[in-house]
Amino acid sequence: MNKSMLVGAVLGAVIVTAGGAFATYMMVGRGPQFAEVLAVEPIKETIKTPREVCKEVTVTRQKPVQDTNRIAGTAVGAVVGGLLGNQIGGGNGKKIATVAGAVGGGYAGNQVQGRMQANDTYTTTETRCNTVTDSHDNIVGYEVKYDLDGEIGRVRMDRDPGDRIPFRDGQLVLTQQ
């Protein structure tokens, strides 16, 4: 084998190897391109949770009335009024004063018993409950506006992508690696 042929073969092998290395560098060495993120807006969902709130409340109630018609007060008032009326005058005037005293005393006794029953109360504590609704926002995704070589696009993502989104093989890379 002659020397020029050997030099040519080695030189040819070096050129082919260099060309392959350069092509591989162009494919792999460039790595992924990126789309620039212009805006990120969280997508929120409102979660509402009902719960029961109870508190102790002081309540004043009227005691049960035994004599709803106030007969006892009317009777006692009539007797006392009749006795007082009987002390006035004489003859027929005494009889009229006794009847008038009984009627007036009966009315007064009825009214006194009514006021006493109305003021006859007791105080107790009761538990009162009501339902209130708590709400809070839960982020379910992100609406992302991006610029890829001058073209503006939008995409929904499950996370905030930061300042840029990888672009490989003609598509955005939306999953986290």
Side-chain angles (χ1 to χ4, degrees), residues 3-149:
K3 197 175 184 187
S4 63
M5 191 170 181
L6 185 61
V7 169
V10 168
L11 196 58
V14 167
I15 291 174
V16 168
T17 304
F22 181 74
T24 302
Y25 169 76
M26 290 305 289
M27 283 180 57
V28 176
R30 281 178 55 189
Q33 294 178 320
F34 292 94
E36 179 186 351
V37 174
L38 302 175
V40 178
E41 180 142 351
I43 301 169
K44 297 177 182 176
E45 174 183 74
T46 300
I47 307 295
K48 294 184 178 184
T49 309
R51 65 181 170 94
E52 189 175 55
V53 176
C54 297
K55 58 184 172 183
E56 298 295 317
V57 178
T58 302
V59 179
T60 302
R61 298 201 183 277
Q62 186 173 0
K63 287 186 178 176
V65 176
Q66 302 294 325
D67 184 7
T68 56
N69 295 320
R70 301 181 247 179
I71 294 171
T74 303
V76 169
V79 168
V80 170
L83 287 173
L84 290 174
N86 192 34
Q87 302 298 317
I88 299 173
N92 281 337
K94 190 172 196 161
K95 289 179 186 175
I96 292 173
T98 301
V99 170
V103 171
Y107 178 77
N110 181 289
Q111 295 304 306
V112 168
Q113 183 178 358
R115 280 193 297 277
M116 288 175 62
Q117 287 175 345
N119 292 331
D120 194 14
T121 60
Y122 65 97
T123 303
T124 185
T125 303
E126 291 182 356
T127 302
R128 300 236 173 120
C129 299
N130 63 330
T131 302
V132 296
T133 303
D134 295 329
S135 63
H136 68 279
D137 289 336
N138 193 19
I139 296 176
V140 295
Y142 295 88
E143 184 71 28
V144 179
K145 181 178 176 183
Y146 64 90
D147 178 2
L148 179 64
D149 293 332

